[in-house]
Amino acid sequence: MLVVDIALMGLHFDGARHRLVRAPDALNAFILVGLPPQHVVEEVPDDLSKVTAPMQAVTAGATRLAFSVPDDIKELELSLDGLLDWERLVPLRVPDGQQIPDTPGTTVFQGIPRSVIEFPTRLLISYDEPVDWLGGPQPQQADGRTALWHVRLHPAPDGAGLGASDGGVRLRAFATVTNGGTLPPGAPYTAPVLQDLVTLTSRIPLPGIGGPLEVHSDPLRAEQFLITPMGTSAHLHGAWDPLSDPALARYKEVDRRAPALVAYDHITGLGRDQYVRIVHHGRLSTGHEALHMQEYKRLFIARPDDGIVAYLQREDRIVVKQPEMTYGAANGFQHAGREMPFQVLRITDRVTPPIIPPSTPPNPPPLPEQDVAELKAFWVRLKDSGKDHEFTLIGTDLEVVPRKVSFTMPLVFVPDGLTDEQKQLNDLYDPQTEPDKMEQRQKRDLHGQVMAMAQPPPGAPGSTSHAVGTLTFRLGSNGAPVVGQPCVAAAEVRVPAVEQFTPNAGNLAVHFNDTFLRQTMDGHPAGAYLDLAHPLKLVFGAEQAGGLSSPNAAVATITSQAGVIPDVFKTDPTTGAVGANDIDTIRKAFGGAQLLGIDLSQYLKDLVKDQLGALRQLTDKQIENILADAKGLLPAPVLRMRDLADGQGKELRYVWKPALASPAAALIDVSKASLILDARTVRSTHAVDESTVQGSLSHFALDFAGMARVEFEELKFKTGPGRKPDVTASGVELKFRGAMEFVNTLRSALPADVFGAGAFIDVQTTGIRAGYTLALPTLALGVFNLANLSLSAELAIPFDGKPVSFRFSVCDQKHPFNLTVALFGGGGYFSLLVDASGVREVQGSIEFGGAAALDLGVASGGVSIMAGIRFTLVKGVDKDDVKLTGYLRCNGFLTVLGIITVSVEFYLELTYEKKGKQSTVRGRGTLTVSVRIAFFSKSVSLELERTFAGAPVDPTFGQCFSKQHDWPKYCAAYAA
């Protein structure tokens, strides 16, 4: 079956002897052999079950072998045996560094014909060392069978008669075929593979900036290489070390793709592939070194119509070469690795199941010059399900005694040497492409495993640890994906201290504090490392904050020592936190916080950066020192959970000692005050909670609308499990001011300390009531008589969030005072209630009038006249209710001889009422005349009532003008 083309150079035919002899003028003699194609590349189907048509196949180009006739051979027999006896000849190889022949289409390099074998298809190889071709020219027969003609490539013997190579024949790829036509779909011999084989075996230097580029050159080794008329039977193997990172960077400098191929195995039988293995080196997106292994195997399959057929099937796998990766500042993170809470990630997968190839071959396939020019980065997806392969990772955190947590995550394989690596990564991680899938890939469940989210400060192990629900990873911290820089963009963690106040909080969304990333934990005034994605409003009950205050706050920052605190820090876009925020921003963080029922945020004082430093290192001893120091401050509430010293439970502590200042016209004067809140909850190992709350507010005063001032030396609150709240007030003094100063003239009749003897104080779980009631004795001076006069004052401090209030009364509606002067008399009462918002309620009434009687014996009678005014004002949240009533009542009677009696009663009332914006005026009059004669009596009444309702609001400007007549005149009045 041999078809061979033989050409002779430097030899001529001696017809007389029928032999080939050297030409007299020839310096060298050559025998050139042309053989049929030695390789067939076949289509590789994606799914064997869907194959319906014959497989496409393309053969390689012809193979040309060149031999030099040694000088000691003077002549050759012109016969088939003589021409095929190549053992005596010297095979010629392509010189190192040569890729292009002297004349296109030939195998002549530097004026000498060379051996060029196209194997596999589109790859031109030659020998890398002296070789021999061994094979008998005569047919070889055994057991009635004749072997196919073949020759075997063998290392040439050295001086000792031994083979020069210890690993088979060494071959070198020196060029690729660029005009050989289209390859079948799925063929393994893509342009990157063939180019890498040339780069790695040809020993051709690659120019670069500052010297040649690094190439780990090593030839292919052939354990077997047979040439036959049907094609080559070969066992080829190549292995190369991957390039270092500096070497890869130099390739990028010259915009040249670095070789990623690290292994190549090729087994063929008679020119048909039996097994091909192509291995590219790269990294997973986490930075772990890995190999992308492509295997092509010939499988025998029974088909109903074709019998048993053998197809090539491709299987891709990822092999993890570097199981463990260490992270830190040396990895090039933007923030020195603080954005990565793991110091080590270990991948437990060594080899993945079969995966989907990185790209599906186009159909129809492209031209050779349009073959895949670059390798592709790709998400590792399983072939059987099409889903991402989730690598199992074990992360080692940054705790003093490191913890290990496990999770799974899909990863991207990035081969070495991509010239457009950044573009490919941008496309793979683009959130706009499959946004739901990208979120699933990056958001990983940790199922509550405890880990340190940041390296804890010295002496505070465990202070940065949380039970983590999820971690959301991203690749690169500066906005662009970077291989080897996985970082945590967001997380969902448990914050035990917050859960005590918001039981349904669960996992809270957090991200790293910007100042922590930029300047480390020491750069933040409070040592923060995490921020809540959404500030969480804490609402405190009376038992949690001591009744003096409801320190509601929107906590947003998690610190290592101070726990969870509000965001009171001013930040710079480039450097992070630089000091305290402006007071308005701080007050917003404390929206809803109350002090004695009054908006506490209005009493917070400006902070300076030095004060914030108190939050950095907070041990129990330091907290106690701050609370005991009259000038000590905790500028933000400290909410933290810590383990007890004996290890028998945990303690939740909320403590705050803010800087206070009094705004103008404030109800509470705190210019010299000190507020301390300290609430602790201790949970034992038996899950039994014991809470103690204590608070104090000292050196403050309550000023009610400029009418009364209550000064306190100290107000304390303390409570514990199973006991009544203990409230004490000391140094309390009441002073009347302004329009109420006249009461001070009665001070001699009042106790020296209004909350001492004769006063009352009532402490309940709902609040404190304290005050006094003073009844003045009847005062009679001649015709002047004043009776039933009493003065009372009451201070109410509720614990349910309502504001503190003060009521002053002169008598009350049920017990008015009485005043008579001769024939005239009257009475009344007055009550005033004020709180933080000002006057809340005013009630008052006064009556006056006179009475006279006449008895002439025959006739007697009497007359009385009374007039009065009642006033009520009640201020509501949405509307105010006002009622003013004036009345006149006249009575008269006359009796004659006891037989005839005439009585007349006249009553007139005028009332004005306003509820919100609706006002009403109502008038009512009644006249009653009664006549009694002996045993007969008759009474007649006349009544009249009228009501006038006002408009709910004043008319608008537009309602007061006529659009056609008044408006033009109005505008003209202002014209120039």
Side-chain angles (χ1 to χ4, degrees):
M1 299 179 66
L2 175 62
V3 177
V4 61
D5 180 18
I6 297 178
L8 305 174
M9 296 179 63
L11 296 173
H12 70 275
F13 178 60
D14 185 350
R17 296 187 297 161
H18 200 76
R19 302 182 73 83
L20 295 173
V21 298
R22 289 178 179 273
D25 56 346
L27 297 177
N28 297 296
F30 304 98
I31 295 179
L32 309 180
V33 179
L35 292 169
Q38 293 298 304
H39 184 253
V40 177
V41 58
E42 302 175 31
E43 177 183 351
V44 180
D46 293 332
D47 188 348
L48 294 179
S49 64
K50 297 181 181 179
V51 175
T52 57
M55 295 291 97
Q56 300 180 37
V58 173
T59 61
T63 289
R64 292 179 174 86
L65 303 180
F67 299 92
S68 173
V69 180
D71 293 340
D72 58 348
I73 298 178
K74 303 301 182 183
E75 59 183 29
L76 294 173
E77 180 182 354
L78 183 58
S79 65
L80 187 60
D81 290 346
L83 294 176
L84 296 182
D85 184 10
W86 298 342
E87 294 185 31
R88 298 184 302 160
L89 305 179
V90 179
L92 300 176
R93 66 188 184 95
V94 176
D96 292 348
Q98 297 294 316
Q99 290 183 289
I100 302 175
D102 298 347
T103 303
T106 69
T107 60
V108 177
F109 293 82
Q110 298 178 345
I112 298 176
R114 310 288 181 170
S115 296
V116 176
I117 305 172
E118 186 174 338
F119 182 87
T121 305
R122 302 292 185 267
L123 184 68
L124 302 179
I125 64 174
S126 189
Y127 325 122
D128 189 60
E129 60 185 358
V131 295
D132 286 333
W133 286 101
L134 306 180
Q138 294 296 327
Q140 302 176 20
Q141 296 181 344
D143 298 330
R145 296 177 181 273
T146 301
L148 188 68
W149 177 88
H150 62 278
V151 289
R152 180 189 303 272
L153 193 60
H154 188 270
D158 57 13
L162 301 176
S165 176
D166 58 355
V169 179
R170 295 181 179 180
L171 300 174
R172 177 168 46 84
F174 67 89
T176 59
V177 178
T178 58
N179 58 353
T182 301
L183 292 179
Y189 312 108
T190 58
V193 175
L194 300 180
Q195 290 169 3
D196 284 355
L197 287 172
V198 172
T199 301
L200 294 169
T201 65
S202 65
R203 296 197 184 94
I204 298 174
L206 303 179
I209 300 175
L213 299 175
E214 179 182 338
V215 177
H216 297 163
S217 183
D218 198 25
L220 293 169
R221 287 173 170 79
E223 299 176 6
Q224 172 183 302
F225 199 91
L226 301 179
I227 286 183
T228 75
M230 301 293 292
T232 294
S233 294
H235 288 191
L236 294 183
H237 172 70
W240 303 270
D241 291 332
L243 293 173
S244 62
D245 290 340
L248 292 173
R250 292 195 63 207
Y251 277 85
K252 288 185 178 181
E253 290 180 1
V254 296
D255 195 24
R256 185 186 182 101
R257 188 181 66 83
L261 189 68
V262 293
Y264 175 76
D265 292 279
H266 195 173
I267 300 176
T268 59
L270 302 180
R272 297 187 69 191
D273 293 330
Q274 306 301 317
Y275 177 81
V276 180
R277 185 171 73 109
I278 299 170
V279 182
H280 288 104
H281 182 271
R283 294 181 181 272
L284 295 172
S285 48
T286 51
H288 296 78
E289 285 188 64
L291 304 175
H292 174 205
M293 183 174 65
Q294 304 168 223
E295 287 187 316
Y296 299 81
K297 301 177 183 178
R298 188 170 297 279
L299 300 179
F300 290 83
I301 299 176
R303 296 177 61 87
D305 301 329
D306 304 331
I308 297 178
V309 296
Y311 294 110
L312 283 175
Q313 183 176 3
R314 174 178 178 177
E315 274 192 356
D316 288 45
R317 286 181 170 84
I318 297 296
V319 179
V320 179
K321 186 178 180 183
Q322 178 191 6
E324 197 167 276
M325 182 74 180
T326 302
Y327 302 96
N331 296 80
F333 286 100
Q334 182 182 8
H335 302 298
R338 290 183 289 277
E339 58 268 63
M340 178 57 172
F342 296 110
Q343 57 180 322
V344 175
L345 278 182
R346 182 177 182 83
I347 298 179
T348 62
D349 307 68
R350 299 308 299 268
V351 181
T352 68
I355 64 171
I356 298 176
S359 59
T360 302
N363 191 14
L367 298 174
E369 59 271 15
Q370 297 173 336
D371 277 351
V372 181
E374 297 286 350
L375 298 175
K376 295 292 184 183
F378 58 93
W379 287 99
V380 180
R381 296 182 296 157
L382 297 176
K383 188 174 184 178
D384 58 350
S385 64
K387 298 180 179 179
D388 293 326
H389 173 68
E390 297 197 354
F391 290 83
T392 299
L393 294 95
I394 298 177
T396 303
D397 70 1
L398 299 167
E399 188 54 83
V400 177
V401 179
R403 299 187 186 92
K404 296 183 182 296
V405 298
S406 63
F407 57 96
T408 62
M409 185 164 62
L411 299 176
V412 168
F413 176 80
V414 183
D416 289 345
L418 298 181
T419 57
D420 61 344
E421 177 180 308
Q422 193 61 63
K423 179 181 181 303
Q424 291 193 36
L425 290 175
N426 289 341
D427 293 341
L428 289 171
Y429 283 90
D430 186 357
Q432 302 302 321
T433 59
E434 302 179 301
D436 294 339
K437 194 169 186 178
M438 283 302 301
E439 183 179 1
Q440 294 175 2
R441 284 169 167 167
Q442 295 178 306
K443 188 174 183 178
R444 310 312 302 164
D445 284 324
L446 266 74
H447 305 289
Q449 298 177 84
V450 177
M451 60 169 286
M453 291 298 294
Q455 184 175 2
S463 60
T464 60
S465 296
H466 298 268
V468 179
T470 64
L471 292 177
T472 299
F473 289 87
R474 66 182 179 191
L475 196 60
S477 54
N478 59 354
V482 180
V483 175
Q485 291 186 12
C487 56
V488 172
E492 293 179 354
V493 304
R494 300 289 293 271
V495 185
V498 172
E499 291 179 0
Q500 300 298 316
F501 297 92
T502 54
N504 299 323
N507 290 327
L508 300 179
V510 298
H511 55 80
F512 285 114
N513 178 269
D514 186 62
T515 305
F516 163 74
L517 292 177
R518 295 175 184 272
Q519 301 185 35
T520 75
M521 201 178 300
D522 292 337
H524 192 278
Y529 61 97
L530 288 178
D531 286 337
L532 297 179
H534 307 287
L536 188 63
K537 189 172 183 179
L538 302 184
V539 179
F540 293 77
E543 72 283 357
Q544 293 172 305
L548 295 178
S549 171
S550 296
N552 304 335
V555 293
T557 302
I558 303 177
T559 69
S560 60
Q561 299 278 38
V564 191
I565 62 176
D567 184 9
V568 295
F569 308 98
K570 182 179 181 181
T571 58
D572 183 87
T574 58
T575 60
V578 295
N581 228 325
D582 61 272
I583 190 61
D584 290 337
T585 304
I586 292 177
R587 286 170 177 167
K588 290 179 182 179
F590 291 90
Q594 293 185 343
L595 175 63
L596 299 177
I598 303 168
D599 185 3
L600 174 60
S601 65
Q602 300 302 314
Y603 293 87
L604 296 179
K605 191 177 181 181
D606 284 307
L607 300 176
V608 296
K609 185 176 182 181
D610 293 342
Q611 294 173 334
L612 298 175
L615 300 172
R616 184 188 302 280
Q617 298 290 339
L618 277 181
T619 63
D620 287 342
K621 182 177 181 181
Q622 288 169 324
I623 291 177
E624 298 305 327
N625 291 339
I626 292 174
L627 298 183
D629 186 356
K631 297 183 179 180
L633 292 176
L634 279 176
V638 173
L639 176 63
R640 65 176 188 168
M641 179 83 79
R642 69 175 187 90
D643 294 325
L644 296 178
D646 58 4
Q648 298 301 309
K650 294 181 177 294
E651 179 193 65
L652 169 71
R653 189 172 189 183
Y654 182 94
V655 60
W656 192 19
K657 189 179 180 184
L660 301 176
S662 296
L667 173 61
I668 307 179
D669 182 2
V670 293
S671 56
K672 300 180 181 180
S674 176
L675 172 65
I676 296 176
L677 295 173
D678 191 358
R680 303 190 193 193
T681 299
V682 176
R683 172 166 294 178
S684 67
T685 54
H686 303 291
V688 177
D689 290 353
E690 293 186 2
S691 299
T692 58
V693 181
Q694 59 184 7
S696 66
L697 183 60
S698 58
H699 302 99
F700 74 100
L702 302 175
D703 193 333
F704 295 96
M707 294 181 295
R709 180 180 176 88
V710 184
E711 296 181 351
F712 290 80
E713 184 68 25
E714 187 174 40
L715 183 62
K716 287 185 177 181
F717 181 104
K718 188 174 183 180
T719 185
R723 67 183 183 186
K724 184 178 179 180
D726 180 14
V727 181
T728 59
S730 60
V732 184
E733 184 178 2
L734 172 62
K735 297 179 180 179
F736 293 96
R737 306 168 66 186
M740 304 297 296
E741 194 170 2
F742 73 93
V743 181
N744 290 330
T745 60
L746 302 176
R747 297 293 292 184
S748 59
L750 302 179
D753 186 346
V754 295
F755 292 99
F760 70 88
I761 181 168
D762 182 21
V763 179
Q764 302 289 339
T765 57
T766 58
I768 303 173
R769 290 176 60 250
Y772 70 89
T773 299
L774 177 66
L776 299 180
T778 301
L779 181 61
L781 297 174
V783 296
F784 177 87
N785 185 63
L786 177 62
N788 298 330
L789 180 63
S790 65
L791 302 177
S792 63
E794 180 180 313
L795 175 66
I797 303 177
F799 294 160
D800 57 0
K802 295 180 180 179
V804 62
S805 62
F806 177 77
R807 180 184 291 275
F808 176 77
S809 301
V810 178
C811 300
D812 57 47
Q813 187 174 8
K814 295 181 179 180
H815 303 91
F817 65 86
N818 295 322
L819 175 64
T820 59
V821 180
L823 300 177
F824 302 98
Y829 68 91
F830 174 78
S831 177
L832 174 67
L833 175 66
V834 294
D835 64 9
S837 60
V839 177
R840 301 298 304 169
E841 181 181 308
V842 178
Q843 292 183 348
S845 173
I846 188 168
E847 293 182 319
F848 55 90
L854 178 65
D855 188 352
L856 300 178
V858 178
S860 62
V863 63
S864 67
I865 300 176
M866 292 296 293
I869 296 177
R870 293 191 297 271
F871 176 76
T872 302
L873 168 64
V874 179
K875 296 182 70 68
V877 177
D878 299 324
K879 62 181 180 178
D880 299 339
D881 292 345
V882 179
K883 185 175 182 180
L884 176 63
T885 300
Y887 70 92
L888 173 64
R889 182 172 62 244
C890 299
N891 290 293
F893 72 93
L894 176 63
T895 300
V896 179
L897 298 176
I899 300 173
I900 300 173
T901 301
V902 178
S903 64
V904 178
E905 181 181 7
F906 174 75
Y907 180 81
L908 179 64
E909 178 184 289
L910 182 64
T911 301
Y912 168 78
E913 287 185 297
K914 183 177 182 182
K915 295 184 178 182
K917 296 181 179 180
Q918 183 67 48
S919 58
T920 303
V921 176
R922 182 175 62 253
R924 184 165 65 93
T926 303
L927 176 62
T928 302
V929 179
S930 298
V931 178
R932 183 170 64 86
I933 303 175
F935 302 103
F936 171 79
S937 65
K938 181 67 174 178
S939 178
V940 179
S941 296
L942 300 176
E943 294 185 359
L944 176 66
E945 183 173 342
R946 292 289 185 267
T947 301
F948 306 92
V953 294
D954 293 334
T956 64
F957 182 81
Q959 292 173 336
C960 298
F961 281 81
S962 168
K963 184 177 180 180
Q964 290 76 18
H965 302 94
D966 299 333
W967 181 246
K969 296 179 180 179
Y970 181 84
C971 294
Y974 292 91

